[in-house]
Amino acid sequence: MEAYKKKLLITFSIVLVLLSGGLGIYFQISTTRIWYDTTEEMYLDVGRDDGVKVSLHNDIAFISYELYGFKVYNFSDSNNPELINEVKVRNTYVTDHFLVNHTYYLLNYKNLSIYDVTDPINIIEIGHYDRESMICGIYVNEGIAYLNTRESFLILNVSDPSNIQRLSETPILLIDENERGITYQDGIVFLANYGQGVVIYDVEDPTSPQLISQVDDYGYISIIDEARTVSVSNDLMFVSDGIHGMVIFNISDLTNIYRISVFSNSIPRSVLMEDSTLYVADYFAGLKTLDISNLPSVIEKCDFVDRRGMRSILPFGNNVLILGKGGLSIVNTARGEGRNPAQVSYIKQIIPGAYEIAGISMLVIYLLTKLKKANI
């Protein structure tokens, strides 16, 4: 009888492990499926990691991932993107990257790595900079790197990547939040500092940045509670706020910034303007394509309903590259019928996620413990 119970326990435990693994794969596929009818689809495995950002140089796309590093794809044929290189980094927690000309800057937790990507098949690391606190966002202009860290606004001279020099470091309110963007326009840097709002500096002299203004509230209601990312285009500033949605400001006078409009969505993670079209990547709602040619009126032109956790967008001809938890989608905003654009291709993942793997591991430990107690 005891032998029968032991066999039954072993059989039951094995079935649980297999069932857990099967469900893990099933749920992962479910979260990466297409949520609407498309004209063309392409599936390529890019692993199970969360995408951080996508950048493009000519037809070469650089995609960074939180727990991996970055991968390089050739998009000369958008229907058949080709993986041509990948770089895995140690102790990985990628927060942001920046691509300018043939140089790629990668933020990995507390360090900055610089790569020569002139030949995307033969990528060479040419510079490295370490610090003691996390670096959350980066913008590079003419050999100067502007960094938004957890506790400071840091400016580096990276014109010689083999000899990086710190030019200045301005303390800011310490905020325990990793998603904090940064952008630059005409000698002015804009930092999205979560609950601190958007902080604006004059950096004409990078050794001594001067605070111009801070956009957080106007005395009657807080209109920026969770400033995650910020982008600017001429006299307009777009702030991705985790509470209010996408907030648009007039910045023609940096000492008198005022709100123009708000587009309420769940959690906007990335905002990008091209001509009079605003692209908003919403973590839960997907891609929103907005006409802002007649502000304060904001007209929704089309959307791409996607629940895969969008984080980064990039217009690419008639296409838009959308990076999220499930991989990279290439959406054609010109061919969609009605409000839904057509999807050209999709690079996806089918590997069980961290929760499923943890569940399997716990079941295995449970099985081994029972076997040990039973002296098998």
Side-chain angles (χ1 to χ4, degrees):
M1 189 64 181
E2 289 298 322
Y4 172 75
K5 288 182 178 180
K6 292 177 182 178
K7 290 181 180 180
L8 183 62
L9 174 62
I10 293 172
T11 303
F12 179 69
S13 300
I14 291 174
V15 169
L16 282 178
V17 171
L18 293 175
L19 182 60
S20 174
L23 287 175
I25 295 174
Y26 169 75
F27 286 136
Q28 194 67 21
I29 291 175
S30 295
T31 59
T32 58
R33 67 187 174 93
I34 306 303
W35 288 79
Y36 62 94
D37 293 333
T38 60
T39 55
E40 296 176 348
E41 298 176 4
M42 177 67 65
Y43 298 99
L44 296 177
D45 180 14
V46 298
R48 63 183 176 85
D49 198 8
D50 285 2
V52 173
K53 190 175 181 180
V54 55
S55 296
L56 198 67
H57 180 67
N58 296 327
D59 291 327
I60 306 300
F62 294 80
I63 306 172
S64 52
Y65 297 88
E66 271 189 2
L67 304 177
Y68 184 86
F70 66 96
K71 297 183 180 183
V72 186
Y73 281 85
N74 186 334
F75 276 87
S76 55
D77 179 3
S78 60
N79 290 316
N80 188 29
E82 177 190 3
L83 176 65
I84 59 175
N85 203 347
E86 52 188 312
V87 176
K88 181 171 177 57
V89 297
R90 296 180 179 179
N91 304 319
T92 320
Y93 188 80
V94 173
T95 55
D96 196 8
H97 77 228
F98 194 86
L99 176 67
V100 55
N101 299 324
H102 299 291
T103 307
Y104 181 79
Y105 303 82
L106 183 73
L107 298 184
N108 176 27
Y109 193 45
K110 297 180 180 180
N111 63 63
L112 163 66
S113 296
I114 305 176
Y115 299 87
D116 182 345
V117 294
T118 304
D119 179 2
I121 299 177
N122 183 30
I123 295 174
I124 304 170
E125 184 173 359
I126 56 176
H128 195 85
Y129 183 85
D130 292 309
R131 61 175 289 108
E132 295 182 356
S133 63
M134 179 178 287
I135 312 174
C136 305
I138 181 172
Y139 194 101
V140 181
N141 180 70
E142 295 183 352
I144 304 297
Y146 304 95
L147 304 171
N148 192 355
T149 82
R150 271 191 176 181
E151 58 187 24
S152 68
F153 170 36
L154 176 64
I155 303 180
L156 303 176
N157 185 335
V158 293
S159 56
D160 179 3
S162 64
N163 184 29
I164 298 174
Q165 300 291 322
R166 186 177 70 172
L167 298 179
S168 63
E169 185 164 9
T170 305
I172 58 176
L173 180 65
L174 177 61
I175 301 174
D176 188 19
E177 173 57 42
N178 303 334
E179 190 178 7
R180 293 161 56 184
I182 184 171
T183 193
Y184 170 97
Q185 178 177 267
D186 300 331
I188 306 296
V189 166
F190 302 78
L191 294 89
N193 279 343
Y194 208 65
Q196 198 180 9
V198 177
V199 186
I200 305 171
Y201 286 94
D202 182 334
V203 292
E204 284 296 336
D205 178 3
T207 64
S208 180
Q210 300 298 310
L211 177 65
I212 299 177
S213 60
Q214 179 176 337
V215 183
D216 51 7
D217 64 69
Y218 285 89
Y220 62 95
I221 185 172
S222 175
I223 55 172
I224 300 182
D225 285 322
E226 295 181 3
R228 297 171 179 268
T229 65
V230 58
S231 61
V232 295
S233 178
N234 299 321
D235 291 337
L236 297 176
M237 178 174 71
F238 309 95
V239 180
S240 300
D241 184 88
I243 300 296
H244 302 287
M246 191 272 298
V247 190
I248 305 176
F249 295 89
N250 184 304
I251 58 170
S252 56
D253 180 358
L254 291 175
T255 63
N256 184 31
I257 297 173
Y258 60 91
R259 182 181 61 179
I260 301 176
S261 185
V262 176
F263 180 77
S264 298
N265 43 351
S266 55
I267 304 181
R269 302 295 286 268
S270 180
V271 178
L272 189 63
M273 181 175 175
E274 190 173 82
D275 298 325
S276 59
T277 299
L278 192 67
Y279 299 90
V280 180
D282 189 280
Y283 192 75
F284 293 115
L287 169 69
K288 301 295 181 182
T289 307
L290 311 175
D291 182 352
I292 59 170
S293 59
N294 190 29
L295 288 171
S297 174
V298 177
I299 301 172
E300 187 171 356
K301 296 167 62 176
C302 65
D303 60 10
F304 172 77
V305 181
D306 190 307
R307 296 167 178 82
R308 289 187 292 261
M310 288 189 178
R311 293 189 60 172
S312 178
I313 51 176
L314 185 66
F316 175 43
N318 287 328
N319 297 325
V320 178
L321 305 183
I322 308 171
L323 182 64
K325 260 185 111 169
L328 183 75
S329 296
I330 309 169
V331 176
N332 189 313
T333 57
R335 295 193 296 129
E337 297 181 1
R339 295 173 65 245
N340 286 320
Q343 178 163 318
V344 178
S345 61
Y346 174 54
I347 305 171
K348 79 166 195 173
Q349 59 185 30
I350 59 173
I351 301 174
Y355 292 112
E356 290 76 34
I357 292 175
I360 295 172
S361 301
M362 291 176 67
L363 284 171
V364 170
I365 293 171
Y366 173 79
L367 171 61
L368 294 174
T369 302
K370 289 296 182 182
L371 290 176
K372 184 177 180 180
K373 288 183 178 179
N375 295 319
I376 296 180

